């Protein structure tokens, strides 16, 4: 299950992402927002992060204007490894090396055609699972939330 969310600046891409996920036969839960009316991105980052922490979802996709605010907010939650990806390579490496569980995309800076590729790679790339990557991800999981 994939949890998805956006603020107003990412609403159109979120709606497009729902269509993309449906076409890929991926199950998802939409945590909002429901329009282009101004909203606060930390609220949606929290909902998607909590869905992953609780086990309702295994991965998430968050979309705002740049992806940066969503990423910062999501990474405040223990066990969340959110990554802003603006390229296919960054999406692949975020999964392979960092076991990223939330993809953050910026609607204002990433063309939709590129976002489709990034989302597809993020969803289809497994974590490498090698000793060095596991060791590093485990260290990320132990970092204190100050």
């Amino acid at each position: 299950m994939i949890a998805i969310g956006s603020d107003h600046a990412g609403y159109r891409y979120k709606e497009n992402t729902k269509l993309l996920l449906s076409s890929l036969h991926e199950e998802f839960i939409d945590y909002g927002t429901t329009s282009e009316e101004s909203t606060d991105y930390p609220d949606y980052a929290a909902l998607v992060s909590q869905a992953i922490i609780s086990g309702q979802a295994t991965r998430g996709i968050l979309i705002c204007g740049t992806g940066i605010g969503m990423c910062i907010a999501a990474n405040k939650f223990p066990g969340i490894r959110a990554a802003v990806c603006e390229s296919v390579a960054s999406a692949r490496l975020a999964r392979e090396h960092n076991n990223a569980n939330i993809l953050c995309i910026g609607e204002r800076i990433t063309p939709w055609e590129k976002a489709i590729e990034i989302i597809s790679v993020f969803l289809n790339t497994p974590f490498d699972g090698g000793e060095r990557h596991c060791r590093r991800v485990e260290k990320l999981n132990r970092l204190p939330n100050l």
Side-chain angles (χ1 to χ4, degrees):
M1 183 70 65
I2 300 165
I4 60 173
S6 74
D7 66 359
H8 59 284
Y11 174 73
R12 289 181 304 128
Y13 273 26
K14 180 182 66 73
E15 293 302 301
N16 289 346
T17 299
K18 289 164 47 175
L19 296 173
L20 174 63
L21 294 175
S22 291
S23 76
L24 297 172
H25 306 289
E26 294 279 358
E27 293 185 19
F28 62 88
I29 305 169
D30 180 353
Y31 286 92
T33 193
T34 58
S35 74
E36 293 184 67
E37 184 176 326
S38 184
T39 59
D40 298 332
Y41 60 84
D43 298 338
Y44 302 98
L47 291 170
V48 168
S49 297
Q50 290 166 346
I52 292 170
I53 292 166
S54 72
Q56 291 177 305
T58 55
R59 282 189 263 176
I61 300 172
L62 289 168
I63 308 162
C64 63
T66 63
I68 296 168
M70 287 289 198
C71 189
I72 291 169
N75 280 317
K76 296 287 185 179
F77 291 84
I80 296 300
R81 294 174 304 280
V84 177
C85 297
E86 296 178 21
S87 70
V88 169
S90 63
R92 181 178 54 78
L93 292 169
R95 287 290 305 134
E96 285 179 355
H97 292 196
N98 310 113
N99 200 14
N101 51 15
I102 295 181
L103 169 64
C104 300
I105 297 176
E107 182 171 329
R108 293 178 179 156
I109 58 174
T110 305
W112 176 244
E113 295 74 27
K114 180 61 71 178
I116 292 170
E117 294 177 57
I118 291 168
I119 292 167
S120 297
V121 167
F122 183 83
L123 295 177
N124 292 305
T125 302
F127 176 50
D128 175 87
E131 185 273 328
R132 66 186 170 126
H133 297 307
C134 286
R135 181 181 69 244
R136 293 168 184 158
V137 169
E138 186 54 37
K139 285 183 179 184
L140 288 174
N141 291 338
R142 289 193 312 261
L143 290 174
N145 289 355
L146 303 176

